[in-house]
Amino acid sequence: MAERTPLETYRAWNDCLLAGDLAGATRLIDAAHWREKCLGLTDWLTDFGTALGHYEKNMVKPWQDLEMHEEEVVEGREAVTIRFRVEATHVGRFLDWPATGRRISFQAIRIVHVRDQLVTGQWAQLDLWGIEQQLTAR
């Protein structure tokens, strides 16, 4: 079996997350070296289980029919940077905003670190201002 590139590793991991396959996502990470920061949502985390809890709270429960569309990808030897657009329907509390039922679109960026075909962490940032503008528009 050929080795996966960092981009292929990221995509396999992200596909598991989007499908709700947390066991599959867990098989694709290096828990001993995990480090994650979601700017504006979490501080630095070193426990993948805690990170998954934040992911569920911020990216699963508040949204329905979530789609991620890669718009720009830069792949390095041990990291992948992905700028993507998210489309989703707001069906649950996200930060201070109760469900609106609105379909929104926002930009996000991830820098995902990969070593030995395993994801070792990420730095992520969602366009929180853009999300707020869409959720609070009258």
Side-chain angles (χ1 to χ4, degrees):
M1 182 169 104
E3 287 193 19
R4 283 189 312 264
T5 67
L7 179 58
E8 290 168 336
T9 300
Y10 157 75
R11 285 180 173 156
W13 174 69
N14 192 57
D15 287 347
C16 287
L17 290 174
L18 289 174
D21 179 5
L22 301 184
T26 301
R27 282 192 296 275
L28 292 168
I29 65 111
D30 179 351
H33 295 100
W34 189 261
R35 198 151 158 75
E36 173 176 310
K37 168 86 171 173
C38 294
L39 195 61
L41 296 175
T42 68
D43 201 353
W44 280 105
L45 302 173
T46 56
D47 177 72
F48 186 66
T50 302
L52 276 178
H54 285 283
Y55 176 78
E56 185 175 348
K57 175 185 173 189
N58 293 309
M59 296 306 298
V60 175
K61 289 183 178 180
W63 310 104
Q64 190 173 39
D65 303 322
L66 187 136
E67 299 173 19
M68 296 174 87
H69 305 279
E70 292 179 358
E71 295 190 338
E72 189 172 1
V73 175
V74 178
E75 182 178 22
R77 199 173 69 244
E78 291 190 347
V80 180
T81 300
I82 309 97
R83 183 176 59 81
F84 54 97
R85 179 175 39 85
V86 176
E87 294 179 18
T89 304
H90 183 223
V91 296
R93 180 167 291 282
F94 178 71
L95 299 176
D96 289 334
W97 305 296
T100 63
R102 293 180 180 169
R103 182 88 178 154
I104 69 166
S105 177
F106 59 91
Q107 296 287 314
I109 189 166
R110 273 180 164 165
I111 302 169
V112 178
H113 296 274
V114 177
R115 186 182 320 132
D116 299 325
Q117 300 183 70
L118 295 173
V119 177
T120 61
Q122 70 172 332
W123 181 94
Q125 184 173 5
L126 309 178
D127 176 11
L128 295 176
W129 185 82
I131 293 170
E132 177 183 18
Q133 296 304 303
Q134 294 174 75
L135 295 183
T136 61
R138 297 192 186 266

